[in-house]
Amino acid sequence: MVRAGYAALAIAACVAAVAGILLGVFSTPSTLPHIRALGRFILYSTFNVFMKGWWAGSPEAVTATLWDYRGIDTVFETTVLYVAVAGCVALAYAGLRRGEDLREGPDEGGGLTVVVKAATKILFALILLTSLNVALHGYITPGGGFAGGSTFAIAPLLIIAAYSTNAIISRGFKFRRSAVLRSLGLLGLAAVILTPLAYYGYVLQNQVKAASSFPGYPAFLGPIFLGGSLICLNMAEFLVVGMEYVLVFIAFYFLDKVLRR
Amino acid sequence: MVGVEYCLYVAAFATLFATAAVALYGVLAKENVVKKVIALTILGDTVNTIAILVGFRVAPKVAPPILPTLRPSKEALRTFASTAVDPIPQALVITAIVINLAVTAFLLFLAVRAYALYGTLDYGEIMRIRRGEGA
């Protein structure tokens, strides 16, 4: 085991050395004020109202990159998230015999003091509002489905800390209900992504493109700015990410129960 | 003549790579599985920060990659493209953070299962038990 430690140290030192060399090669003072050409193209065209063949209909370049310019990448990231959570759930339920049922019991009480519980209730509502805001306005301000979903995941964690895991289950975050909501989010993503195909457009097409007969999702609805498909994709992703995290928390509760039998 | 910004930029890079090296050492050399996972999360966050830093502009005028108006002029668009930071690393990192968390959860589930099976979180101990040498 001592030898393994020295080998690891050697590898770590190599990483640091390579990093130093790369640093010397790639970042000279003359290149630092500039970014790469692809990034400059995205910044220039993301809300270029004079050149609508390339625009994404969103002034937020990060969300435009996420769901328009590099949309396929994000679809596969969602797949990775789905598979990781499915693995967690499978590990939690492994060893459960057929027909055996681990019903969610009633709230047993306990937890922290009444002050903490009252504060948690207020914070829960605030976090819910904030996460919805982050996801809903992800196409004009910093944020989006991923950021909103991770913000939402804090809320059940707070309840677990102040009450118990049982508390989030008895308050409506049932396993099956969360899974159904997650699947609804995935279906919403699929619907928005695949609809342009029906009009002979591209998968994940957002705005009008030269070689496609799909007219593009509406960027404006009268005076209201919508940002094309980005708002729908952000909300669906918010549902997916938030519910995947709730599933992980509930699965951990079941893992505990299965192992304690 | 190099400016203060350049020196700070290089120092940030060097610190991040040193952190990554330490985290990698932790992943490889620590015996406790939970400590390995902790080192892995540090490594992931460090790599994310490096990605963000690669897309940064070390310039007198830097803007976030969000256009502040819904009725831009051509001049405003050109200024935006020449002052905002690179949006691509940020888009990659926001997904990477979420997936990091899910993968970490998966690894911790595995660790809990391993502890229930072998009664220890020590990697070498688990391998000895698996080889049938007993503890």
Side-chain angles (χ1 to χ4, degrees):
Chain A
M1 279 309 127
V2 175
R3 190 179 294 168
Y6 283 130
L9 209 57
I11 291 172
C14 285
V15 169
V18 169
I21 293 164
L22 286 178
L23 200 65
V25 173
F26 284 113
S27 54
T28 53
S30 62
T31 61
L32 287 178
H34 305 293
I35 55 172
R36 279 138 199 86
L38 184 59
R40 218 160 38 238
F41 165 75
I42 289 178
L43 286 174
Y44 185 62
S45 54
T46 177
F47 203 69
N48 197 331
V49 284
F50 310 104
M51 204 172 68
K52 290 201 174 178
W54 295 107
W55 83 325
S58 162
E60 222 274 55
V62 177
T63 303
T65 313
L66 206 63
W67 284 119
D68 193 321
Y69 295 107
R70 298 185 62 92
I72 306 271
D73 187 26
T74 313
V75 171
F76 283 113
E77 300 265 22
T78 310
T79 316
V80 173
L81 179 67
Y82 175 82
V83 172
V85 174
C88 287
V89 173
L91 275 177
Y93 282 78
L96 213 62
R97 282 179 289 275
R98 183 177 287 277
E100 193 174 10
D101 201 10
L102 287 175
R103 278 272 156 238
E104 298 104 337
D107 194 1
E108 291 128 359
L112 296 177
T113 61
V114 70
V115 181
V116 179
K117 283 184 177 173
T120 305
K121 276 179 194 160
I122 298 168
L123 280 178
F124 184 83
L126 286 179
I127 291 171
L128 218 62
L129 271 178
T130 311
S131 62
L132 260 174
N133 192 23
V134 166
L136 194 62
H137 292 150
Y139 61 103
I140 41 176
T141 58
F146 283 95
S150 335
T151 313
F152 171 79
I154 310 287
L157 267 183
L158 262 184
I159 300 252
I160 289 172
Y163 295 75
S164 63
T165 314
N166 218 341
I168 64 165
I169 294 169
S170 62
R171 271 167 183 74
F173 285 113
K174 296 235 181 343
F175 185 86
R176 182 149 302 166
R177 195 177 292 168
S178 310
V180 165
L181 279 176
R182 187 269 321 268
S183 305
L184 273 181
L186 285 173
L187 282 177
L189 279 184
V192 176
I193 287 168
L194 296 179
T195 302
L197 280 182
Y199 297 88
Y200 302 101
Y202 305 121
V203 172
L204 265 166
Q205 190 182 344
N206 176 14
Q207 297 298 322
V208 59
K209 291 278 176 289
S212 147
S213 54
F214 182 62
Y217 288 99
F220 285 92
L221 190 74
I224 306 165
F225 179 60
L226 277 184
S229 67
L230 301 181
I231 184 171
C232 310
L233 288 169
N234 263 339
M235 287 317 285
E237 187 66 41
F238 167 70
L239 206 58
V240 173
V241 173
M243 287 304 137
E244 295 276 29
Y245 280 150
V246 172
L247 282 182
V248 169
F249 301 146
I250 298 177
F252 200 82
Y253 169 76
F254 279 119
L255 178 66
D256 197 43
K257 256 193 158 176
V258 168
L259 291 181
R260 267 174 208 274
R261 278 179 319 185
Chain B
M1 182 63 198
V2 290
V4 179
E5 287 92 355
Y6 178 65
C7 294
L8 281 177
Y9 185 79
V10 171
F13 246 118
T15 315
L16 282 171
F17 272 107
T19 315
V22 171
L24 200 59
Y25 168 76
V27 172
L28 294 171
K30 283 291 172 193
E31 288 289 287
N32 191 315
V33 175
V34 175
K35 285 184 184 168
K36 273 184 199 284
V37 174
I38 292 172
L40 198 67
T41 57
I42 295 174
L43 183 62
D45 290 344
T46 313
V47 170
N48 285 344
T49 318
I50 290 171
I52 293 286
L53 201 60
V54 164
F56 191 66
R57 265 178 212 273
V58 184
K61 275 187 75 177
V62 189
I66 297 158
L67 198 64
T69 170
L70 284 181
R71 283 171 186 49
S73 64
K74 279 186 176 168
E75 187 53 41
L77 281 170
R78 223 166 283 132
T79 320
F80 176 62
S82 59
T83 55
V85 298
D86 200 339
I88 298 172
Q90 303 203 4
L92 297 181
V93 164
I94 186 65
T95 52
I97 289 170
V98 172
I99 284 165
N100 241 350
L101 222 146
V103 171
T104 307
F106 180 65
L107 290 176
L108 288 177
F109 272 68
L110 278 179
V112 171
R113 276 282 170 186
Y115 185 76
L117 211 55
Y118 301 110
T120 175
L121 280 171
D122 188 291
Y123 182 71
E125 198 73 29
I126 290 175
M127 291 319 280
R128 264 196 293 285
I129 294 171
R130 280 182 65 91
R131 279 198 298 268
E133 289 165 21

